[in-house]
Amino acid sequence: IEGCWWLPRQAPLSRNHFPGAMDAGDGLTAEQLRARIEEQRALQATLTAQGEDALREIGEAEERQRLRRQLDVEETRSSHLGAVLYSRQRRRRSIDRDEAGALPSEESTFAKPKPQPTPGALAKTTTSYASNVVKRDFVWEVSGLSWLEQQ
């Protein structure tokens, strides 16, 4: 702290920050010292220019990174649209093979509605699963049915 009269004055420390260390310029002539100063200034100019280049390169790298993230989003959208298209094409092929869609039934679709059974009368329903057979494992849950007469 310079200018404080209550602190003892000390000699400035050398560049190596300990007493007795030899400075890089010890034993050089004035001309040699001037040349070293110019070398350091040239080095500083080079380092400053390289630092500016590094900042520009960082900006370019950040832009490439932003574009990669944008490309990821676009590729994900394209993948989704491709999956939707594939699904629709499979559906169309399935309809063309009469495996899906409006399939012919045993009764005409224009038939009269079935009369409602009278309470207490025996009701019979038959469902055919012979068309559109898919071969794989299924888990079936049937609720609300009983084969025992409830009283």
Side-chain angles (χ1 to χ4, degrees):
I1 304 174
E2 281 190 35
C4 296
W5 57 269
W6 61 88
L7 293 176
R9 290 190 57 95
Q10 295 180 354
L13 296 177
S14 69
R15 272 193 284 177
N16 294 325
H17 302 291
F18 55 92
M22 222 175 151
D23 284 337
D26 286 351
L28 298 179
T29 67
E31 191 58 38
Q32 291 171 326
L33 289 170
R34 286 186 193 99
R36 296 280 301 270
I37 289 170
E38 286 306 313
E39 288 173 4
Q40 291 304 308
R41 288 180 179 162
L43 176 61
Q44 292 167 12
T46 301
L47 293 173
T48 299
Q50 289 175 347
E52 290 169 0
D53 288 345
L55 284 175
R56 180 186 45 77
E57 290 169 356
I58 288 171
E60 291 170 356
E62 288 172 340
E63 175 66 6
R64 288 190 302 272
Q65 183 181 55
R66 184 188 67 76
L67 290 170
R68 284 192 301 273
R69 296 299 79 79
Q70 186 177 349
L71 177 60
D72 290 345
V73 168
E74 297 302 325
E75 287 175 340
T76 299
R77 287 179 184 162
S78 294
S79 177
H80 174 73
L81 290 172
V84 168
L85 173 62
Y86 176 75
S87 176
R88 289 176 180 172
Q89 289 172 336
R90 280 187 43 209
R91 173 90 172 137
R92 189 229 358 115
R93 286 191 297 271
S94 188
I95 291 169
D96 284 343
R97 291 189 303 257
D98 285 333
E99 295 172 349
L103 300 174
S105 63
E106 292 179 6
E107 298 179 22
S108 168
T109 55
F110 300 106
K112 295 179 185 176
K114 295 181 181 177
Q116 295 295 321
T118 57
L122 180 63
K124 177 182 175 186
T125 302
T126 304
T127 303
S128 173
Y129 294 100
S131 64
N132 200 17
V133 175
V134 177
K135 295 181 180 180
R136 64 179 179 191
D137 292 334
F138 290 94
V139 176
W140 295 92
E141 285 186 22
V142 179
S143 62
L145 297 178
S146 174
W147 284 265
L148 300 175
E149 184 177 339
Q150 295 181 0
Q151 306 214 3

